[in-house]
Amino acid sequence: MIKEFGNLSEDREIDKLRLDEENAIQPSKYGYYLDALAQAKTELDRAKQNYEATVSARSLYYRRNPPTDIKATEAVYTDLVNTDTQVLEAKDALIRAQEAVNVLYASVASIEDVRKSIDNLVKLQLSSYYNSQGMDNARDKLNQ
């Protein structure tokens, strides 16, 4: 059975009775989120480049077509560019791309925590922690 990833709440769940399977799929799960993060970073870079190009193009447009109703100063050009619809759309796309990267950073960290939890659960299982008869002995061994 091929496991599909992408639902973070499901991907963070661990089946304590199938740690061998959880351990086996962990690299694929981690890789999935790292790939998604890499793609999001690429989209962020594209959004940054698009934003910078849009700001430059609109700045050049306003300098070639200065306003006739007010004195054309640097402050006016800055305000014209900062309130331009195309610039605002490019800035919004940049913000959305940054948000996607931030979410995926948190997702990768969460999946790393899953890996650590699997490691800890394996150690607990190997020390018979979940065996009710040996629970006290196992707890003592871990505390030493």
Side-chain angles (χ1 to χ4, degrees), residues 8-15 22 29 114:
L8 188 59
S9 61
E10 288 180 9
D11 292 343
R12 286 188 287 210
E13 292 177 2
I14 300 172
D15 185 349
E22 294 288 345
K29 188 186 306 183
V114 169

Side-chain angles (χ1 to χ4, degrees), residues 8 14 16 24 41 44 52 54-55 57-58 73 81 84 93 100 103 113 128 131 135 137:
L8 188 59
I14 300 172
K16 289 191 264 184
K41 284 181 176 182
L44 177 60
E52 291 169 3
T54 302
V55 167
R58 298 311 291 166
T73 63
V81 170
D84 186 87
V103 167
D113 285 342
S128 301
N131 181 352
M135 191 178 298
N137 291 337

Side-chain angles (χ1 to χ4, degrees), residues 37-57:
L37 177 60
Q39 290 173 1
K41 284 181 176 182
T42 299
E43 289 302 315
L44 177 60
D45 290 342
R46 284 188 187 127
K48 284 179 184 176
Q49 290 173 354
N50 182 53
Y51 174 74
E52 291 169 3
T54 302
V55 167
S56 295

Side-chain angles (χ1 to χ4, degrees), residues 4-141:
E4 291 188 26
F5 306 111
N7 182 335
L8 188 59
S9 61
E10 288 180 9
D11 292 343
R12 286 188 287 210
E13 292 177 2
I14 300 172
D15 185 349
K16 289 191 264 184
L17 302 177
R18 295 187 168 157
L19 291 176
D20 55 337
E21 291 175 22
E22 294 288 345
N23 194 44
I25 65 169
Q26 183 61 24
S28 297
K29 188 186 306 183
Y30 187 65
Y32 171 86
Y33 284 97
L34 283 178
D35 289 346
L37 177 60
Q39 290 173 1
K41 284 181 176 182
T42 299
E43 289 302 315
L44 177 60
D45 290 342
R46 284 188 187 127
K48 284 179 184 176
Q49 290 173 354
N50 182 53
Y51 174 74
E52 291 169 3
T54 302
V55 167
S56 295
R58 298 311 291 166
S59 179
L60 183 59
Y61 170 81
Y62 288 119
R63 289 178 188 283
R64 287 185 175 165
N65 302 293
T68 57
D69 57 340
I70 55 175
K71 183 178 180 181
T73 63
E74 282 304 312
V76 168
Y77 287 127
T78 299
D79 288 343
L80 287 170
V81 170
N82 288 339
T83 59
D84 186 87
T85 304
Q86 292 177 15
V87 171
L88 292 173
E89 288 172 0
K91 188 175 187 178
D92 188 47
L94 178 62
I95 290 169
R96 284 192 313 271
Q98 182 64 60
E99 181 181 14
V101 168
N102 295 346
V103 167
L104 284 164
Y105 267 123
S107 299
V108 167
S110 180
I111 297 301
E112 286 175 349
D113 285 342
V114 169
R115 179 191 54 81
K116 292 174 188 173
S117 293
I118 290 171
D119 289 345
N120 288 335
L121 288 169
V122 167
K123 289 175 187 174
L124 289 172
Q125 189 177 57
L126 290 173
S127 67
S128 301
Y129 181 81
Y130 293 114
N131 181 352
S132 61
Q133 297 168 349
M135 191 178 298
D136 292 333
N137 291 337
R139 192 175 299 130
D140 291 340
K141 286 180 189 177

